[in-house]
Coordinates of all heavy atoms in Angstrom, one line a residue:
M1 N 0.9 -1.2 0.0 CA 0.0 0.0 0.0 C 0.9 1.3 0.0 O 1.8 1.3 0.9 CB -0.9 0.0 1.3 CG -1.9 1.1 1.2 SD -3.1 1.0 2.5 CE -2.1 0.3 4.0
S2 N 0.6 2.2 -0.9 CA 1.5 3.4 -1.1 C 0.8 4.6 -0.7 O 1.4 5.7 -0.5 CB 2.2 3.5 -2.4 OG 1.1 3.4 -3.3
D3 N -0.6 4.7 -0.9 CA -1.3 5.9 -0.5 C -2.5 5.5 0.3 O -3.0 4.5 0.4 CB -1.5 6.7 -1.7 CG -2.5 6.1 -2.7 OD1 -2.8 4.8 -2.4 OD2 -2.9 6.7 -3.7
C4 N -3.1 6.7 1.0 CA -4.2 6.6 1.9 C -5.5 6.3 1.2 O -5.8 6.7 0.1 CB -4.3 7.9 2.7 SG -5.8 7.9 3.7
R5 N -6.3 5.2 1.7 CA -7.4 4.8 1.0 C -8.5 5.9 1.2 O -9.4 5.8 0.4 CB -7.9 3.5 1.8 CG -7.4 2.2 1.2 CD -8.0 1.0 1.9 NE -6.9 0.3 2.5 CZ -6.9 -0.5 3.5 NH1 -8.0 -0.6 4.2 NH2 -5.9 -1.1 4.0
I6 N -8.4 6.7 2.2 CA -9.5 7.8 2.3 C -9.2 9.0 1.5 O -10.0 9.4 0.8 CB -9.5 8.2 3.9 CG1 -9.9 6.9 4.7 CG2 -10.4 9.4 4.0 CD1 -9.8 7.0 6.1
C7 N -7.9 9.6 1.6 CA -7.7 10.8 0.9 C -6.6 10.8 -0.1 O -6.2 11.7 -0.8 CB -7.3 11.9 1.9 SG -5.7 11.7 2.6
H8 N -6.0 9.6 -0.3 CA -4.9 9.3 -1.2 C -3.7 10.2 -1.0 O -2.9 10.3 -1.8 CB -5.4 9.5 -2.7 CG -6.6 8.6 -3.1 ND1 -6.5 7.3 -3.2 CD2 -7.9 8.9 -3.3 CE1 -7.7 6.8 -3.5 NE2 -8.6 7.8 -3.5
G9 N -3.6 10.6 0.3 CA -2.3 11.2 0.7 C -1.2 10.2 0.8 O -1.4 9.0 0.9
A10 N 0.0 10.7 0.9 CA 1.2 9.8 1.0 C 1.3 9.3 2.4 O 1.0 9.9 3.5 CB 2.5 10.6 0.7
L11 N 1.7 8.0 2.5 CA 1.8 7.3 3.8 C 3.3 7.3 4.1 O 4.2 7.2 3.4 CB 1.4 5.9 3.8 CG -0.1 5.7 3.3 CD1 -0.4 4.2 3.4 CD2 -1.1 6.5 4.4
E12 N 3.6 7.5 5.5 CA 5.0 7.4 6.0 C 5.0 6.4 7.2 O 4.1 6.4 7.9 CB 5.6 8.8 6.1 CG 4.9 9.5 7.4 CD 5.5 10.9 7.7 OE1 6.3 11.4 6.8 OE2 5.2 11.5 8.7
E13 N 6.1 5.8 7.4 CA 6.3 4.9 8.6 C 6.5 5.8 9.7 O 7.4 6.6 9.8 CB 7.5 4.0 8.2 CG 7.1 2.7 7.9 CD 8.2 1.7 8.1 OE1 8.5 1.3 9.1 OE2 8.7 1.1 7.1
R14 N 5.8 5.5 10.8 CA 5.9 6.1 12.0 C 5.7 5.3 13.3 O 5.1 4.1 13.0 CB 4.9 7.3 12.2 CG 5.4 8.6 11.8 CD 4.5 9.7 12.3 NE 4.0 10.4 11.1 CZ 3.0 11.3 11.2 NH1 2.2 11.3 12.3 NH2 2.6 11.9 10.1
R15 N 6.1 5.6 14.4 CA 5.9 4.8 15.6 C 4.6 5.4 16.2 O 4.7 6.6 16.5 CB 7.1 4.8 16.6 CG 8.3 4.4 15.9 CD 8.5 3.0 16.3 NE 9.5 2.4 15.3 CZ 10.0 1.2 15.5 NH1 9.9 0.5 16.6 NH2 10.9 0.7 14.6
V16 N 3.6 4.7 16.6 CA 2.4 5.1 17.1 C 2.1 4.5 18.4 O 2.7 3.4 18.8 CB 1.2 5.0 16.2 CG1 1.5 5.7 14.8 CG2 0.9 3.6 16.0
T17 N 1.2 5.0 19.2 CA 0.7 4.4 20.4 C -0.7 3.8 20.1 O -1.5 4.6 19.6 CB 0.7 5.4 21.6 OG1 2.0 5.9 21.8 CG2 0.1 4.8 22.8
R18 N -0.9 2.6 20.6 CA -2.2 1.9 20.2 C -2.9 1.4 21.5 O -2.2 0.9 22.4 CB -2.0 0.7 19.2 CG -3.2 -0.1 18.9 CD -3.0 -1.0 17.8 NE -4.0 -1.9 17.7 CZ -4.2 -2.8 16.7 NH1 -3.3 -2.7 15.6 NH2 -5.2 -3.7 16.6
L19 N -4.2 1.6 21.6 CA -5.0 1.1 22.7 C -5.5 -0.2 22.3 O -6.1 -0.3 21.1 CB -6.0 2.0 23.0 CG -5.8 3.2 24.1 CD1 -6.8 4.2 24.1 CD2 -5.6 2.5 25.5
Q20 N -5.4 -1.2 23.0 CA -5.9 -2.6 22.7 C -6.6 -3.2 23.8 O -6.1 -3.2 25.0 CB -4.6 -3.4 22.3 CG -5.0 -4.7 21.7 CD -5.7 -4.7 20.4 OE1 -5.3 -4.0 19.5 NE2 -6.7 -5.5 20.2
T21 N -7.7 -3.8 23.5 CA -8.3 -4.7 24.6 C -7.9 -6.2 24.3 O -7.8 -6.6 23.1 CB -9.9 -4.7 24.6 OG1 -10.4 -4.8 23.3 CG2 -10.4 -3.3 25.2
Y22 N -7.8 -6.9 25.4 CA -7.4 -8.3 25.1 C -8.0 -8.9 26.4 O -7.6 -8.7 27.5 CB -5.9 -8.5 25.0 CG -5.5 -9.9 24.7 CD1 -5.5 -10.4 23.4 CD2 -5.1 -10.8 25.8 CE1 -5.1 -11.6 23.1 CE2 -4.7 -12.1 25.4 CZ -4.6 -12.5 24.1 OH -4.4 -13.8 23.8
H23 N -8.9 -9.9 26.1 CA -9.6 -10.7 27.3 C -10.2 -9.7 28.3 O -9.9 -9.9 29.6 CB -8.7 -11.7 27.9 CG -8.4 -12.9 26.9 ND1 -7.9 -14.1 27.3 CD2 -8.7 -12.9 25.5 CE1 -7.8 -14.8 26.2 NE2 -8.2 -14.3 25.2
G24 N -10.7 -8.6 27.9 CA -11.4 -7.7 28.8 C -10.6 -6.7 29.6 O -11.0 -5.9 30.4
K25 N -9.3 -6.8 29.2 CA -8.3 -5.8 29.9 C -7.8 -4.8 28.8 O -7.6 -5.2 27.6 CB -7.1 -6.4 30.5 CG -7.5 -7.1 31.8 CD -6.4 -8.0 32.4 CE -5.3 -7.1 33.0 NZ -4.1 -7.9 33.6
W26 N -7.4 -3.6 29.2 CA -6.9 -2.6 28.2 C -5.4 -2.6 28.3 O -4.8 -2.6 29.4 CB -7.5 -1.3 28.6 CG -8.8 -1.0 28.0 CD1 -10.0 -1.2 28.7 CD2 -9.3 -0.7 26.7 NE1 -11.1 -0.9 27.8 CE2 -10.6 -0.6 26.6 CE3 -8.5 -0.5 25.5 CZ2 -11.3 -0.4 25.4 CZ3 -9.2 -0.1 24.3 CH2 -10.5 -0.1 24.3
Y27 N -4.8 -2.5 27.2 CA -3.3 -2.3 27.1 C -3.0 -1.1 26.3 O -3.7 -0.8 25.3 CB -2.7 -3.6 26.5 CG -2.9 -4.8 27.3 CD1 -4.1 -5.5 27.1 CD2 -2.0 -5.2 28.3 CE1 -4.3 -6.7 27.9 CE2 -2.3 -6.4 29.0 CZ -3.4 -7.1 28.8 OH -3.6 -8.2 29.6
I28 N -2.0 -0.4 26.5 CA -1.4 0.6 25.8 C 0.0 0.2 25.2 O 0.8 -0.3 26.0 CB -1.1 2.0 26.5 CG1 -2.4 2.4 27.2 CG2 -0.4 2.9 25.7 CD1 -2.3 3.5 28.2
I29 N 0.1 0.0 23.9 CA 1.2 -0.4 23.3 C 1.9 0.8 22.5 O 1.4 1.4 21.6 CB 0.9 -1.5 22.2 CG1 0.4 -2.7 22.9 CG2 2.2 -1.9 21.5 CD1 -1.1 -2.9 22.8
E30 N 3.1 1.0 23.0 CA 3.9 2.3 22.6 C 4.9 1.8 21.5 O 5.2 0.7 21.5 CB 4.6 2.9 23.6 CG 3.6 3.6 24.7 CD 4.3 4.4 25.7 OE1 5.4 3.9 26.2 OE2 3.9 5.5 26.1
N31 N 5.3 2.7 20.7 CA 6.4 2.5 19.7 C 6.0 1.4 18.7 O 6.9 0.7 18.2 CB 7.7 2.2 20.3 CG 8.1 3.4 21.2 OD1 8.0 4.6 20.7 ND2 8.5 3.2 22.4
L32 N 4.8 1.3 18.4 CA 4.4 0.4 17.4 C 4.5 1.0 15.9 O 4.1 1.9 15.6 CB 2.9 0.0 17.6 CG 2.2 -1.1 16.7 CD1 2.9 -2.5 17.1 CD2 0.7 -1.1 17.0
P33 N 5.3 0.2 15.1 CA 5.5 0.6 13.7 C 4.2 0.6 12.9 O 3.5 -0.3 13.0 CB 6.5 -0.3 13.2 CG 6.9 -1.3 14.2 CD 5.9 -1.1 15.3
A34 N 3.8 1.7 12.2 CA 2.6 1.8 11.5 C 2.8 2.7 10.3 O 3.8 3.4 10.2 CB 1.4 2.3 12.3
L35 N 1.9 2.7 9.3 CA 1.9 3.7 8.2 C 0.9 4.7 8.5 O -0.3 4.4 8.8 CB 1.6 3.1 6.9 CG 2.7 2.0 6.5 CD1 2.0 1.2 5.3 CD2 4.0 2.6 6.1
V36 N 1.3 6.0 8.6 CA 0.4 7.1 8.8 C 0.3 8.1 7.7 O 1.3 8.4 7.1 CB 1.0 7.8 10.1 CG1 0.0 9.0 10.4 CG2 1.1 6.9 11.3
C37 N -1.0 8.4 7.4 CA -1.2 9.3 6.2 C -0.7 10.8 6.7 O -1.1 11.3 7.7 CB -2.6 9.4 5.9 SG -3.1 10.6 4.6
R38 N 0.1 11.4 5.8 CA 0.7 12.8 6.0 C -0.5 13.7 6.0 O -0.4 14.8 6.6 CB 1.7 13.0 5.0 CG 3.0 12.5 5.3 CD 4.1 13.1 4.4 NE 5.2 12.1 4.4 CZ 6.1 12.1 3.5 NH1 6.0 13.0 2.5 NH2 7.2 11.2 3.6
Q39 N -1.6 13.4 5.2 CA -2.6 14.5 5.1 C -3.7 14.4 6.1 O -4.0 15.4 6.7 CB -3.1 14.2 3.6 CG -3.5 15.5 2.8 CD -3.6 15.2 1.3 OE1 -2.8 15.5 0.6 NE2 -4.8 14.6 1.0
C40 N -4.2 13.2 6.3 CA -5.4 13.2 7.2 C -5.1 12.4 8.5 O -5.9 12.4 9.4 CB -6.6 12.5 6.5 SG -6.5 10.7 6.3
G41 N -3.9 11.9 8.6 CA -3.5 11.2 9.9 C -4.1 9.8 10.1 O -3.9 9.3 11.1
E42 N -4.8 9.3 9.1 CA -5.3 7.8 9.2 C -4.1 6.9 9.5 O -3.1 7.0 8.8 CB -6.1 7.5 8.0 CG -6.7 6.1 8.0 CD -7.9 6.1 8.9 OE1 -8.4 7.0 9.4 OE2 -8.3 4.9 9.2
V43 N -4.3 5.9 10.4 CA -3.2 4.9 10.7 C -3.6 3.7 10.1 O -4.6 3.1 10.2 CB -3.1 4.9 12.2 CG1 -2.0 3.8 12.7 CG2 -2.8 6.3 12.9
Y44 N -2.6 3.1 9.4 CA -2.8 1.8 8.9 C -1.7 0.9 9.6 O -0.5 1.2 9.5 CB -2.4 1.8 7.4 CG -3.4 2.6 6.7 CD1 -3.2 4.0 6.4 CD2 -4.7 2.0 6.2 CE1 -4.1 4.7 5.7 CE2 -5.6 2.8 5.5 CZ -5.3 4.2 5.3 OH -6.2 4.9 4.7
Y45 N -2.1 -0.3 10.1 CA -1.2 -1.3 10.7 C -0.8 -2.3 9.7 O -1.7 -2.9 9.0 CB -1.9 -1.8 12.0 CG -2.2 -0.9 13.0 CD1 -3.6 -0.5 13.2 CD2 -1.3 -0.3 13.8 CE1 -3.8 0.5 14.2 CE2 -1.6 0.6 14.8 CZ -2.9 1.0 14.9 OH -3.2 2.0 15.8
T46 N 0.5 -2.6 9.8 CA 1.0 -3.6 9.0 C 0.7 -5.0 9.5 O 0.3 -5.1 10.7 CB 2.5 -3.6 8.8 OG1 3.1 -3.6 10.1 CG2 2.9 -2.2 8.1
P47 N 0.7 -6.2 8.7 CA 0.4 -7.4 9.4 C 1.4 -7.8 10.4 O 1.0 -8.4 11.4 CB 0.6 -8.4 8.1 CG 0.3 -7.6 7.0 CD 0.8 -6.2 7.3
E48 N 2.6 -7.3 10.3 CA 3.5 -7.7 11.3 C 3.3 -6.9 12.6 O 3.7 -7.3 13.8 CB 5.0 -7.6 10.9 CG 5.3 -6.1 10.6 CD 6.6 -5.6 11.5 OE1 7.2 -6.5 12.2 OE2 6.9 -4.5 11.2
A49 N 2.6 -5.8 12.5 CA 2.3 -5.0 13.7 C 1.3 -5.8 14.7 O 1.4 -5.7 15.8 CB 1.7 -3.6 13.4
H50 N 0.5 -6.6 14.1 CA -0.4 -7.4 14.8 C 0.4 -8.3 15.9 O 0.0 -8.5 17.0 CB -1.3 -8.3 13.9 CG -2.2 -9.3 14.6 ND1 -3.3 -8.9 15.3 CD2 -2.0 -10.6 14.9 CE1 -3.8 -9.9 15.9 NE2 -3.1 -11.0 15.7
D51 N 1.4 -8.9 15.3 CA 2.2 -9.9 16.2 C 2.8 -9.0 17.3 O 3.0 -9.5 18.3 CB 3.3 -10.5 15.4 CG 2.7 -11.4 14.3 OD1 1.5 -11.9 14.5 OD2 3.3 -11.8 13.4
R52 N 3.3 -7.8 17.0 CA 4.0 -7.0 17.8 C 3.0 -6.4 19.0 O 3.5 -5.8 19.9 CB 4.7 -5.8 17.1 CG 5.8 -6.5 16.4 CD 6.6 -5.4 15.6 NE 7.5 -4.7 16.5 CZ 8.6 -4.0 16.0 NH1 8.8 -4.0 14.8 NH2 9.3 -3.3 16.9
V53 N 1.7 -6.5 18.7 CA 0.7 -6.1 19.8 C 0.5 -7.3 20.6 O 0.4 -7.2 21.9 CB -0.6 -5.7 19.0 CG1 -1.7 -5.6 20.1 CG2 -0.4 -4.3 18.4
V54 N 0.2 -8.4 20.1 CA -0.1 -9.7 20.8 C 1.0 -10.2 21.6 O 0.9 -10.7 22.7 CB -0.7 -10.8 19.9 CG1 -0.9 -12.1 20.6 CG2 -2.0 -10.3 19.2
E55 N 2.1 -10.1 21.0 CA 3.4 -10.8 21.6 C 3.7 -10.2 23.1 O 3.7 -11.0 24.0 CB 4.6 -10.6 20.8 CG 5.7 -11.7 21.1 CD 6.6 -11.1 22.1 OE1 6.9 -9.9 22.1 OE2 7.2 -12.1 22.7
P56 N 3.7 -8.9 23.2 CA 4.0 -8.4 24.6 C 2.8 -8.5 25.5 O 3.0 -8.6 26.8 CB 4.3 -6.9 24.5 CG 3.8 -6.6 23.0 CD 3.7 -7.8 22.3
I57 N 1.6 -8.6 25.1 CA 0.5 -8.9 25.9 C 0.4 -10.3 26.6 O 0.2 -10.5 27.6 CB -0.8 -8.5 25.2 CG1 -1.1 -7.0 24.9 CG2 -2.1 -9.1 25.9 CD1 -2.3 -6.8 24.0
T58 N 0.8 -11.2 25.7 CA 0.7 -12.6 26.2 C 2.0 -13.1 26.7 O 2.0 -14.2 27.2 CB 0.3 -13.5 24.9 OG1 1.2 -13.2 23.8 CG2 -1.0 -13.3 24.4
S59 N 3.1 -12.3 26.6 CA 4.3 -12.8 27.2 C 4.3 -12.5 28.7 O 3.6 -11.8 29.3 CB 5.6 -12.1 26.6 OG 5.7 -10.9 27.2
D60 N 5.3 -13.2 29.5 CA 5.4 -13.0 30.9 C 6.3 -11.7 31.3 O 6.3 -11.4 32.5 CB 6.1 -14.2 31.5 CG 5.1 -15.4 31.4 OD1 3.9 -15.3 31.3 OD2 5.6 -16.6 31.3
K61 N 6.7 -11.1 30.2 CA 7.6 -9.9 30.6 C 6.7 -8.8 31.3 O 5.6 -8.5 30.9 CB 8.1 -9.3 29.2 CG 9.5 -9.5 29.0 CD 10.0 -8.8 27.7 CE 10.2 -7.3 27.9 NZ 10.6 -6.7 26.6
P62 N 7.3 -8.2 32.4 CA 6.5 -7.2 33.1 C 6.4 -5.9 32.2 O 7.2 -5.7 31.2 CB 7.5 -6.8 34.2 CG 8.8 -7.4 33.9 CD 8.6 -8.5 33.0
P63 N 5.3 -5.1 32.4 CA 5.0 -4.0 31.5 C 6.2 -2.9 31.7 O 6.8 -2.9 32.8 CB 3.7 -3.5 32.0 CG 3.4 -4.1 33.3 CD 4.2 -5.4 33.4
A64 N 6.4 -2.1 30.8 CA 7.3 -0.9 30.9 C 7.0 -0.1 32.0 O 7.9 0.5 32.8 CB 7.3 -0.2 29.6
R65 N 5.7 0.2 32.2 CA 5.2 0.9 33.4 C 3.6 0.7 33.5 O 3.0 0.3 32.5 CB 5.5 2.4 33.3 CG 4.9 3.1 32.2 CD 5.4 4.5 32.1 NE 4.5 5.3 31.1 CZ 4.7 5.3 29.7 NH1 5.6 4.5 29.2 NH2 3.8 5.8 29.0
I66 N 3.1 1.1 34.6 CA 1.6 1.0 34.8 C 1.1 2.4 34.9 O 1.6 3.3 35.5 CB 1.3 0.2 36.2 CG1 1.9 -1.2 36.2 CG2 -0.2 0.2 36.3 CD1 1.1 -2.2 35.4
E67 N 0.0 2.6 34.0 CA -0.6 3.9 33.9 C -2.0 3.8 34.6 O -2.7 2.8 34.4 CB -0.7 4.3 32.4 CG 0.5 4.7 31.8 CD 1.1 6.1 32.1 OE1 0.5 6.7 32.9 OE2 2.0 6.4 31.5
Q68 N -2.5 4.9 35.3 CA -3.9 5.0 35.6 C -4.6 5.7 34.5 O -4.1 6.7 34.0 CB -3.9 5.9 36.9 CG -3.8 5.1 38.3 CD -4.3 5.9 39.4 OE1 -4.3 7.1 39.3 NE2 -4.9 5.1 40.4
V69 N -5.8 5.2 34.3 CA -6.6 5.8 33.1 C -7.9 6.3 33.7 O -8.6 5.5 34.5 CB -6.8 4.7 32.0 CG1 -7.6 5.4 30.9 CG2 -5.5 4.3 31.5
A70 N -8.3 7.5 33.4 CA -9.5 8.1 33.8 C -10.6 7.6 32.9 O -10.5 7.6 31.7 CB -9.6 9.6 33.8
V71 N -11.7 7.0 33.4 CA -12.9 6.5 32.6 C -14.0 7.4 32.9 O -14.5 7.7 33.9 CB -13.3 5.1 33.1 CG1 -14.4 4.6 32.3 CG2 -12.1 4.2 33.0
L72 N -14.4 8.0 31.8 CA -15.5 9.1 31.7 C -16.8 8.6 31.2 O -16.8 7.8 30.3 CB -15.0 10.3 30.9 CG -13.6 10.8 31.3 CD1 -13.2 12.0 30.3 CD2 -13.6 11.2 32.7
D73 N -17.9 9.1 31.7 CA -19.2 8.7 31.3 C -19.8 9.9 30.5 O -20.0 10.9 31.0 CB -20.1 8.4 32.5 CG -21.5 7.9 32.1 OD1 -21.9 7.9 30.9 OD2 -22.2 7.6 33.1
A74 N -20.1 9.5 29.2 CA -20.6 10.6 28.4 C -22.1 10.6 28.2 O -22.7 11.3 27.3 CB -19.9 10.6 27.0
S75 N -22.8 9.8 29.0 CA -24.4 9.6 28.9 C -24.9 10.9 29.4 O -24.5 11.6 30.2 CB -24.8 8.5 29.4 OG -24.5 8.5 30.9
Ligands
ZN101 ZN1 -5.3 10.2 4.3

C-alpha cells in the first residue's frame, strides 16, 4: 500500500501508540510501527504490527510501566 485509502495522501512509517483490549483488559502499546497518512492522519497497521501487539500482551515480561486511566461517562 502506497497511499491513503481515504484521501490518497502519502503514507509514511511512524511509531504510534495503540490502545488494545485483550480478554477484557486494556493495554497501551507504545512505539508500534505503522503507516500514517501525512494528509489526514489515518493510521494503517501492517500485518507484522499485529504480532507486535499480541506478543508483549501474552508474554510474561513485566510492563514498561503501569498507567492509571480516567474513565469518563458521556451519557
Ligand atoms: Zn489520508
Side-chain angles (χ1 to χ4, degrees):
M1 184 173 34
S2 56
D3 64 354
C4 176
R5 267 180 243 155
I6 294 165
C7 74
H8 302 290
L11 300 180
E12 63 180 14
E13 259 200 67
R14 260 194 243 164
R15 304 266 158 163
V16 301
T17 299
R18 174 168 169 171
L19 273 166
Q20 180 71 45
T21 47
Y22 189 83
H23 290 196
K25 283 173 78 180
W26 280 97
Y27 297 87
I28 299 169
I29 295 102
E30 293 183 321
N31 298 313
L32 185 67
L35 295 168
V36 181
C37 175
R38 276 186 203 164
Q39 221 160 253
C40 74
E42 184 70 11
V43 178
Y44 297 91
Y45 297 105
T46 60
E48 66 123 5
H50 174 78
D51 298 337
R52 293 180 72 159
V53 168
V54 173
E55 203 270 332
I57 289 175
T58 54
S59 84
D60 292 333
K61 252 181 79 183
R65 62 183 194 281
I66 301 282
E67 292 278 4
Q68 269 199 333
V69 178
V71 180
L72 308 178
D73 183 354
S75 65

